[in-house]
Amino acid sequence: MLPARHRLTDRADFAATIRGRGARRHGSRLLVVHARVADATQTDARGESSPRVGLVVSKAVGNAVIRTRVKRRLRAQAAPLLTQLPAGTDLVIRANPAAADASSADLGAAMRHCLRGLLVGERG
């Protein structure tokens, strides 16, 4: 479970992370990870700059049981990665339909691959 300060819940924050200024994305067969890193001066509405994660799992992934399973697995894989993210980072993780048949390990590997591509691309 992600602590409340690490959850992205506001529609405007999702939109800014996916389509806003400075938004980046990296994808794989299972996932697409959208990221936006805030400046040092920007913080969220609560005055914190901790990294936040939001999930998008559409009906294309499967029925409610499958979508819930995918979300649970993604949250479990995202939680330990929060300490490696820069302060003020917002992530939106979008599951592709292939994620329905993927194991937790596969989802975690895809997430790490996408984050590595985003963070390396940011430095380079």
Side-chain angles (χ1 to χ4, degrees):
M1 186 72 164
L2 292 172
R5 68 177 185 201
H6 292 297
R7 288 186 219 141
L8 193 63
T9 57
D10 189 38
R11 181 181 174 98
D13 290 336
F14 271 86
T17 303
I18 292 172
R19 294 189 182 92
R21 178 173 289 203
R24 303 171 52 95
R25 75 171 179 244
H26 195 276
S28 73
R29 183 178 67 85
L30 301 175
L31 306 170
V32 177
V33 178
H34 300 268
R36 183 175 58 108
V37 179
D39 316 3
T41 59
Q42 290 179 328
T43 58
D44 65 6
R46 295 176 304 276
E48 299 174 359
S49 63
S50 58
R52 299 183 299 171
V53 177
L55 302 175
V56 176
V57 183
S58 74
K59 288 185 178 181
V61 173
N63 64 26
V65 173
I66 292 170
R67 292 193 313 267
T68 301
R69 182 185 314 130
V70 170
K71 286 185 277 190
R72 188 175 59 243
R73 288 176 175 176
L74 289 173
R75 276 193 298 268
Q77 294 296 322
L81 299 175
L82 290 172
T83 58
Q84 300 171 10
L85 296 175
T89 301
D90 286 344
L91 294 178
V92 172
I93 302 168
R94 184 168 44 91
N96 290 331
D101 299 322
S103 68
S104 292
D106 292 339
L107 290 172
M111 189 181 307
R112 287 187 297 277
H113 167 75
C114 291
L115 285 174
R116 195 170 27 253
L118 286 169
L119 296 177
V120 168
E122 183 178 291
R123 294 181 198 132

